[in-house]
């Protein structure tokens, strides 16, 4: 999952003051708007883990507003709602609340899977990467809850989703994919399963081909 930058001390206070001013203005001028929903989401995501209850209340407000916009601005509302659920899952992971993290991550995965499947006529790299992050959150939550078989299967799905990035010059996707491959291998070992060669070998070949000199044939 994408890591959130958290401040401290005076910078944190400055950020809180800025949020208070923005929130007051937007609640007065754009009540019920997607802009307000996105601000609630930004505020929730920025909270320190010690303010979990406050962060969850902000996520609730964001989710309610995003959901209210589904009939008239579906794509933007789904994008916001899935990000909110994804970041809520990250908060629950930090707190070791595995079942709550599974619930939030599962919802985010479902929304982002539908959004990826709906990418007709446009490049889907961003949606694919977003789904990979939500699946990664689900994997970690399931592993934390001791649901190792389900975690392994979710990791395999994430690797298949992100496999397109193997060998491509996308550092963010590369880091996420390699982490998931490592977690998948660990989960296979934990559950007494052999890693799926049909899943991993094409990735290894793509990684190799991206590093070899141009024009050099890959070994058989």
């Amino acid at each position: 999952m994408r890591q959130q930058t958290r401040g401290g001390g005076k910078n944190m206070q400055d950020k809180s003051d800025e949020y208070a001013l923005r929130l007051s203005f937007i609640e007065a001028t754009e009540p019920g708007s997607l802009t307000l929903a996105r601000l609630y989401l930004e505020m929730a995501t920025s909270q320190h883990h010690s303010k979990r209850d406050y962060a969850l209340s902000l996520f609730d407000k964001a989710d309610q507003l995003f959901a209210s916009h589904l009939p008239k601005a579906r794509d933007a509302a789904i994008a916001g709602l899935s990000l909110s659920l994804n970041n809520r899952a990250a908060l629950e992971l930090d707190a070791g609340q595995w079942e709550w993290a599974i619930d939030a991550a599962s919802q985010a995965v479902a929304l982002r899977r539908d959004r990826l499947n709906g990418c007709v006529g446009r490049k889907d790299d961003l949606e694919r990467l977003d789904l990979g992050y939500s699946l990664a959150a689900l994997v970690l939550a399931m592993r934390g809850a001791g649901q190792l078989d389900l975690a392994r299967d979710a990791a395999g799905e994430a690797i298949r989703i992100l496999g397109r990035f193997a060998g491509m010059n996308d550092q963010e996707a590369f880091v996420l994919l390699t982490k998931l491959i490592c977690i998948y291998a660990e989960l296979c070992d934990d559950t007494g399963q052999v890693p799926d060669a049909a899943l991993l070998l094409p990735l290894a070949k793509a990684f190799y081909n991206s590093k070899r000199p141009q024009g050099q044939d890959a070994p058989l």
Side-chain angles (χ1 to χ4, degrees):
M1 293 175 298
R2 289 181 175 87
Q3 296 297 314
Q4 303 298 328
T5 301
R6 304 187 189 279
K10 183 176 184 297
N11 289 336
M12 196 69 176
Q13 182 61 49
D14 290 345
K15 195 68 173 176
S16 297
D17 292 343
E18 176 190 336
Y19 279 137
L21 288 171
R22 289 170 59 193
L23 183 60
S24 177
F25 176 76
I26 295 174
E27 284 182 332
T29 59
E30 301 181 60
S33 66
L34 282 171
T35 301
L36 181 57
R38 294 184 184 112
L39 179 57
Y40 284 140
L41 171 54
E42 182 183 341
M43 291 174 64
T45 302
S46 72
Q47 298 303 311
H48 188 270
H49 62 80
S50 64
K51 296 185 177 180
R52 175 173 173 268
D53 288 343
Y54 178 55
L56 289 174
S57 71
L58 291 170
F59 279 126
D60 287 342
K61 291 180 180 180
D63 292 352
Q64 290 169 9
L65 282 180
F66 283 128
S68 72
H69 284 270
L70 287 172
K72 50 190 175 183
R74 185 170 182 80
D75 193 61
I78 287 179
L81 182 57
S82 60
L83 178 59
S84 181
L85 289 163
N86 185 85
N87 289 1
R88 181 193 291 262
L91 179 69
E92 300 291 20
L93 284 171
D94 284 345
Q97 297 293 323
W98 310 122
E99 296 299 331
W100 288 111
I102 288 172
D103 181 67
S106 295
Q107 293 182 65
V109 165
L111 288 171
R112 286 179 162 177
R113 188 186 287 123
D114 286 347
R115 199 158 189 260
L116 176 61
N117 291 337
C119 282
V120 178
R122 75 174 191 266
K123 194 172 182 181
D124 65 5
D125 285 357
L126 180 58
E127 286 80 6
R128 188 171 295 273
L129 185 58
D130 283 345
L131 178 54
Y133 275 111
S134 291
L135 281 165
L138 184 58
V139 169
L140 295 176
M142 286 176 167
R143 185 169 68 172
Q147 300 176 14
L148 301 185
D149 289 317
L150 293 175
R152 183 197 63 230
D153 292 344
E157 180 186 355
I159 291 169
R160 282 190 292 274
I161 292 294
L162 296 170
R164 176 182 295 184
F165 295 105
M168 292 175 58
N169 187 25
D170 188 318
Q171 184 66 20
E172 185 178 1
F174 172 79
V175 170
L176 180 59
L177 179 56
T178 52
K179 286 182 177 179
L180 280 163
I181 290 172
C182 292
I183 293 172
Y184 172 72
E186 292 171 359
L187 287 167
C188 285
D189 185 58
D190 291 340
T191 56
Q193 300 292 315
V194 177
D196 185 355
L199 176 66
L200 299 181
L201 285 179
L203 304 182
K205 183 177 180 180
F207 285 135
Y208 175 81
N209 286 339
S210 70
K211 300 301 182 184
R212 65 189 174 88
Q214 189 173 4
Q216 177 181 324
D217 292 334
L220 296 177

